Each structure stands twice: as structure tokens, then as C-alpha cells.
Amino acid sequence: MPTFVYMASCDGCGECVDICPSDIMHIDPTTRRAFNIEPNFCWECYACVKACPQNAIDVRGYSDFAPLGHSVRVIRDEEKSTIAWKIIFRDGREKNFESPIRTTPWGSIKSPSDYDVPSQDAFKTQELAHEPETLNIDKLPALSPDQLKVGVV
Ligand code: SF4
Ligand code: SF4
């Protein structure tokens, strides 16, 4: 179910543009509001829905899920750290879902640009950039040679 933007609610902050893995959320140069340039390429990850501070992004339901006359409203609640889905079917039935979207406060996760640039020596290790700090561990778990099975010789 691809996303679309309520232009009256969007303030053009660009959060959805930055977070979209499919690079399909763009800012219209004339209106300065976001829009989904290619709904067919939407991964339906809803990262943009969760990231939008204005709750300006919604989801267009597929016909098997929410036939004509339906509405699907997605609301991000920063205080409760939840995302709520309100689905109204065309016969008036309503379903509400609420799920937690994170376990840490908003703004508490460091951006990759806040970390020091990895050194050249870091390329020789098996750790990815900023590991193990970003995994909240002291070091990656590793097997010692005596834990490895001896193969048939
Ligand atoms: Fe991009 Fe995901 Fe939003 Fe689709 S749901 S527009 S892929 S961020
Ligand atoms: Fe508009 Fe929301 Fe995207 Fe910001 S994150 S540009 S308010 S749709």
C-alpha cells in the first residue's frame, strides 16, 4: 500500500525525503511540499509515515484490503512512541491497531554523521562502521580455535 502526502499538513521539512530507502519521496520545487513520485516503487516500509512530524503521510489501501470508500489513517504519537492505524471500511466497520515503534526516545539515536570517520585500519577488521559501539556491546562475539570442530583429515 503506497503512501501519499496531505499537502495541507506537510511543511516541507524533508524528513521523509531523507529516510525513504526507495528515494521516491521528493519535495515539489513549486509548492515546497513532499510527494511520492512513484508509488509503484514504494517498498511499503512506512519509514516516512513514522518519520513525518506532521502526520502528513497516509497510506492508499489496496482494494482487497480496503475496498472503495475506505480510509486508512496512520498516526504517529511521539509521546507514547506508538504508531496507530485506523481503518474504516466502506460499510462503516472500524478497526484500530496500535504498535510500539521504538524502544528509545525520539532523537536519542546518533546519526552516522555524528561519529568519527573510521580510520584506514578499520577496513582490515570484520567490524562494520562504528561497531561495536552501535551494537551496545564491548566487542563482537567470536569463536576461539578450541571451540571449532576439527574436520576430517
Ligand atoms: Fe519510501 Fe518506505 Fe515511505 Fe514508501 S513507505 S515512500 S519506500 S519511506
Ligand atoms: Fe512533509 Fe512530513 Fe515529509 Fe516533512 S516528513 S516533508 S512534513 S510529508
Side-chain angles (χ1 to χ4, degrees), residues 71-116:
S71 81
V72 181
R73 190 79 186 98
V74 190
I75 304 287
R76 180 179 95 157
D77 187 325
E78 278 194 36
E79 274 183 24
K80 292 198 302 190
S81 279
T82 58
I83 191 153
W85 299 76
K86 183 192 199 75
I87 298 159
I88 302 175
F89 293 91
R90 62 179 171 174
D91 63 5
R93 276 180 305 138
E94 191 178 306
K95 290 195 185 280
N96 292 283
F97 305 94
E98 191 174 86
S99 1
I101 46 176
R102 57 185 301 145
T103 55
T104 52
W106 288 98
S108 65
I109 297 177
K110 270 166 80 173
S111 148
S113 60
D114 294 334
Y115 288 90
D116 293 334

Side-chain angles (χ1 to χ4, degrees), residues 115-130:
Y115 288 90
D116 293 334
V117 176
S119 69
Q120 283 297 314
D121 284 343
F123 288 111
K124 297 175 188 152
T125 75
Q126 293 196 18
E127 293 165 358
L128 299 179
H130 318 306

Side-chain angles (χ1 to χ4, degrees), residues 5 10-16 27 34 52-54 56-57:
V5 176
C10 172
D11 66 4
C13 70
E15 298 274 346
C16 57
I27 301 287
C52 175
Q54 305 300 329
I57 306 178

Side-chain angles (χ1 to χ4, degrees), residues 42-67:
C42 180
W43 296 14
E44 304 171 10
C45 66
Y46 307 133
C48 59
V49 174
K50 295 172 190 171
C52 175
Q54 305 300 329
N55 282 317
I57 306 178
D58 248 356
V59 173
R60 190 172 283 127
Y62 288 137
S63 58
D64 55 348
F65 164 76

